[in-house]
Structures are given as structure tokens and as C-alpha cells.
Amino acid sequence: MKGNYSQITKNILITIALTGAVVIAATSPYFLVNLARAFIKNKKYGGSKNNERKIIRSLQNLRKSNLIILKDMGDGNFTVKLTQKGRGKVEEINFEKLEIKKQDTWDKKWRIVIFDIPENRKAARDALRFKIKELKFYQLQKSVFVCPYPCEKEILFLCEFFEIFPCPDSGYYKHFVFIIVFCNFFCLG
């Protein structure tokens, strides 16, 4: 993610993204302090003044960077929402944190990811390949990877992130990404 954002800042962005908006009563000039206290109640930061100051600083920086917007509701309440730029940052954070969860016991199914992305989308294709390798998939061919764990949601997220999806107007797929799940089998001589 471009820019060095602290874990607190990332958690604030994700919390706002998950809740859609945060509404805070702004009955005093200490609005950001009240907002920071609300985050402390719902998170793992504890009630220390140091953490409160970090959260306030993060909120101020998020507002200054146009990642969040503070909207006066007119009734003494304020709403904190993500801007379009803020939603983009949340996607970047989710992209960074993406991982394939390993199962305790293997379900004996392999997931094969096959993709065909044209040359004019080479950057997206290479980025997808790089991220799939980073997720510890096994590469069989240049655009064929296997994984022993469920990964459908993660692959769909990557397709959305890299804007790799079918072109509905044309009646055919400009790019395709298949996920095939099959059970182990052996061919004995």
C-alpha cells in the first residue's frame, strides 16, 4: 500500500468500511476525542491516553488525506464515512492482508486456477500471477496454479481487484479465470 499507514489507521479504515459509517454525538468541542474513545471501546487498544492520541492523530490524518469525511447530521451528531479514495485504500489493505486459510484436516481436494488474460492486460496478468505465487500456490504452467485449500473467495477478490472479469456486452469472455476443484485420484499402471 502506498504510504506508510499505521496498524491503527488501517484498523480505523476497515472498521468504517465494515460498519458503513460511524455516528458520534458531537456535543462538545472534543469530537475527535469522543470518536477515538468509541474506537478504543470496540478495539484492542486499551484505554491509555497514548493510544487515544494515536487514534486522534490517525483520524486527523485520514480526514486531511480525504480518506474519510465528517458529515454534520444537523441534530448534534456527526457521521464518519469513507470517501471513494478511502474505499480504494481499504481494498489495498485487504489485498495486502489476503491469505489462504489452511485447513486443520485436508479435504483431499485440489483447486486448480487457470487463467487466460490477453496481452493488452499484461500488467494485470503479471500482478495476478505474482500475487498467486505470493499466496503459495504451486505453479504447474505459466498460467496454471494449484492449491490444496479452499481459495474461491480469494481468487474472486483478486479478479475484482485487478478488474479481470467477463465482458457481458460482447457475448464472450475477454479474460477468464477458472477455479476447478477435484478430488485426489491415482492411475495405477
Side-chain angles (χ1 to χ4, degrees), residues 117-133:
I117 301 166
E119 191 62 30
N120 64 353
R121 296 294 317 273
K122 185 179 193 293
R125 182 181 64 214
D126 292 344
L128 177 65
R129 183 180 297 120
F130 179 80
K131 187 63 177 181
I132 286 175
K133 285 179 181 179

Side-chain angles (χ1 to χ4, degrees), residues 1 6 19-20 22 33 39 46 51 61-62 78 84 121-123 125-126 131 133 156 170:
M1 185 167 133
S6 70
T19 59
V22 177
V33 172
F39 277 107
N51 285 335
N61 290 337
L62 288 170
F78 277 82
Q84 189 65 31
R121 296 294 317 273
K122 185 179 193 293
R125 182 181 64 214
D126 292 344
K131 187 63 177 181
K133 285 179 181 179
L156 290 173
S170 64

Side-chain angles (χ1 to χ4, degrees), residues 89-175:
K89 287 296 177 198
V90 169
E91 264 196 21
E92 288 180 30
I93 293 167
N94 288 335
F95 178 78
E96 284 178 358
K97 291 175 26 173
L98 190 67
E99 64 180 20
I100 304 296
K101 303 276 190 252
K102 293 183 177 181
Q103 299 169 313
D104 292 334
T105 57
W106 185 40
D107 62 2
K108 300 197 184 324
K109 295 178 183 176
W110 286 95
R111 283 77 178 173
I112 302 175
V113 177
I114 303 170
F115 56 88
D116 183 22
I117 301 166
E119 191 62 30
N120 64 353
R121 296 294 317 273
K122 185 179 193 293
R125 182 181 64 214
D126 292 344
L128 177 65
R129 183 180 297 120
F130 179 80
K131 187 63 177 181
I132 286 175
K133 285 179 181 179
E134 191 179 271
L135 291 172
K136 301 201 181 358
F137 279 66
Y138 303 102
Q139 187 172 9
L140 296 179
Q141 291 182 4
K142 198 143 176 102
S143 61
V144 179
F145 292 83
V146 296
C147 177
Y149 306 111
C151 60
E152 291 82 0
K153 290 178 188 171
E154 292 82 0
I155 296 299
L156 290 173
F157 174 79
L158 290 175
C159 289
E160 196 173 299
F161 187 84
F162 293 122
E163 297 178 359
I164 303 168
F165 21 66
C167 181
D169 300 336
S170 64
Y172 67 93
Y173 288 87
K174 274 188 167 177
H175 334 106

Side-chain angles (χ1 to χ4, degrees), residues 15 19 22 24 35-46 55:
T15 301
T19 59
V22 177
I24 297 291
L35 188 56
R37 288 181 181 149
F39 277 107
I40 286 173
K41 282 181 190 174
N42 296 323
K43 284 291 180 182
K44 58 186 174 227
Y45 305 114
I55 292 172

